[in-house]
């Protein structure tokens, strides 16, 4: 993995929604929206209903609508667990 990428995994009760590299990702945080880029400081945050938007190497934005969940960012690995999701 290049240092200008994050590795992201999005999980729902029905299985893995996404598993791969991203350049950036924006979340609907419970305390307010926020974005994550490579080399981001470690964080754990709750998510509220909204849309996760991420950019892959093709630079085309991809979206996943979520009901709620949480995200952990640590060492360029982004792990997202959501209650419900719709791509």
């Amino acid at each position: 993995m290049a240092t200008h990428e994050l590795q992201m995994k999005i999980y729902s009760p029905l299985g893995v929604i996404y598993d791969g590299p991203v350049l950036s990702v924006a979340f609907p945080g419970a305390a307010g929206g926020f974005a994550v880029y490579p080399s981001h400081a470690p964080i754990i945050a709750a998510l509220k209903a909204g849309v996760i938007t991420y950019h892959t190497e093709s630079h085309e934005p991809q979206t996943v609508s979520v009901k709620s969940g949480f995200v952990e960012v640590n060492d360029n690995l982004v792990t997202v667990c959501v209650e419900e999701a719709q791509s």
Side-chain angles (χ1 to χ4, degrees):
M1 178 173 65
T3 59
H4 64 278
E5 292 180 339
L6 300 157
Q7 185 67 28
M8 184 171 71
K9 296 180 182 183
I10 303 176
Y11 300 97
S12 82
L14 299 177
V16 177
I17 296 169
Y18 180 81
D19 183 358
V22 296
L23 301 175
S24 65
V25 57
F27 293 101
F34 65 97
V36 173
Y37 296 91
S39 301
H40 195 284
I43 185 174
I44 296 175
L47 301 176
K48 65 179 184 178
V51 177
I52 297 171
T53 303
Y54 58 94
H55 291 83
T56 61
E57 228 174 75
S58 69
H59 297 283
E60 291 294 321
Q62 306 293 317
T63 61
V64 177
S65 297
V66 298
K67 183 175 178 183
S68 65
F70 70 90
V71 58
E72 177 185 18
V73 179
N74 192 12
D75 197 25
N76 286 333
L77 176 61
V78 180
T79 305
V80 186
C81 295
V82 295
E83 182 181 344
E84 283 184 27
Q86 185 175 37
S87 297

